Amino acid sequence: AAHFLAKELKLKRAALITSSSEWTWSEQRGTFEKSFLKLEGSVSIDLRFKTATELSEGLCSQILGAKSEAVVFAGHPNDLQAMLSSLTRVHAKLPIIYLTSLDEEQSILQNPSSFGGIYVTTPVAFDGTSTKFPAKFLEKFKKYPTTRAALAFDSVKLIAEGLKKSKTGLATRVVTELGNADQLQIETSTGPAKLAANHSLARPVFVAECGGGKLRKVFSKSPETTLSKE
């Protein structure tokens, strides 16, 4: 998300608005901020909100007053809708980077052109060039796969590979086989990925623009270093 904002959109000043209700969003916030600062970006406003009532027109006016070029947001879909409504009332058209994984409620967001674009980060590609997983998921469930669905798919593939190598259903043997695997390659939701001996898994990251019930992949970044499975 940070690379997309700084390198693709060429924006260097972002308001960071995150919910304090769950630790996962605090973790996403910290990861984004660290990466964005490395890319010579700066945080114009840093707010951790507890309820949607804090996402007011006054806050949006502060965001504009701080010369923010974009809003980086993490929270529930209802919180995002409150943020969008307030931005609309102050006539702000800023791109929004939504750090939360996509779910059914988010897939019906209104047209992003009203706001400057709404973008989500996801491990799933939507152009059909990586694997058949996204298309099959959409066909069966009539909605785009969530991050959790993609990671669950990858976990099953990994366990299946462990069962195949261990030739047994014993959990300890499966774990041992996967732990001893050196550069084990599996077909994940984003295509081939290698599980290194240090238990790290490198995967690409995709950015999709959402609105009008549709998603469109606009950016992808291959991993420069391996990412922790945890």
Side-chain angles (χ1 to χ4, degrees), residues 2 14 19 43 45 57 66 81 114-115 126 164 168 181 183 186 190 193-194 198:
S19 171
V43 175
I45 288 181
E57 294 176 39
Q81 292 287 7
S114 302
F115 307 102
F126 299 100
K164 179 180 177 181
T168 177
Q183 293 296 315
I186 60 173
T190 53
K194 287 186 177 181
N198 66 354

Side-chain angles (χ1 to χ4, degrees), residues 144-165:
Y144 290 101
T146 65
T147 294
R148 289 186 180 91
L151 297 181
F153 175 84
D154 293 349
S155 297
V156 171
K157 297 284 286 189
L158 187 61
I159 293 172
E161 190 64 28
L163 289 169
K164 179 180 177 181
K165 285 185 171 295

Side-chain angles (χ1 to χ4, degrees), residues 164-204:
K164 179 180 177 181
K165 285 185 171 295
S166 66
K167 299 180 182 180
T168 177
L170 294 175
T172 53
R173 288 283 301 277
V174 172
V175 172
T176 299
E177 285 296 329
L178 291 176
N180 293 334
D182 185 14
Q183 293 296 315
L184 172 67
Q185 183 164 311
I186 60 173
E187 185 71 21
T188 70
S189 55
T190 53
K194 287 186 177 181
L195 179 68
N198 66 354
H199 295 183
S200 61
L201 181 67
R203 66 168 70 243

Side-chain angles (χ1 to χ4, degrees), residues 15-101:
L16 191 52
I17 313 295
T18 58
S19 171
S20 60
S21 62
E22 293 187 27
W23 70 268
T24 50
W25 289 327
S26 295
E27 184 180 40
Q28 288 176 329
R29 171 197 170 282
T31 300
F32 170 84
E33 185 174 19
K34 182 178 179 180
S35 300
F36 195 48
L37 292 177
K38 283 185 177 180
L39 294 169
E40 300 182 353
S42 63
V43 175
S44 55
I45 288 181
D46 188 351
L47 172 69
R48 300 187 190 190
F49 65 91
K50 293 182 178 179
T51 65
T53 56
E54 297 174 61
L55 306 173
S56 62
E57 294 176 39
L59 170 62
C60 293
S61 296
Q62 291 179 42
I63 290 173
L64 292 177
K67 301 186 184 303
S68 306
E69 298 175 302
V71 175
V72 178
F73 190 90
H76 284 291
N78 289 341
D79 296 331
L80 178 61
Q81 292 287 7
M83 183 87 251
L84 295 177
S85 296
S86 295
L87 286 170
T88 300
R89 286 194 290 270
V90 299
H91 307 290
K93 293 186 178 182
L94 300 175
I96 296 176
I97 310 297
Y98 192 19
L99 299 182
T100 307
S101 61

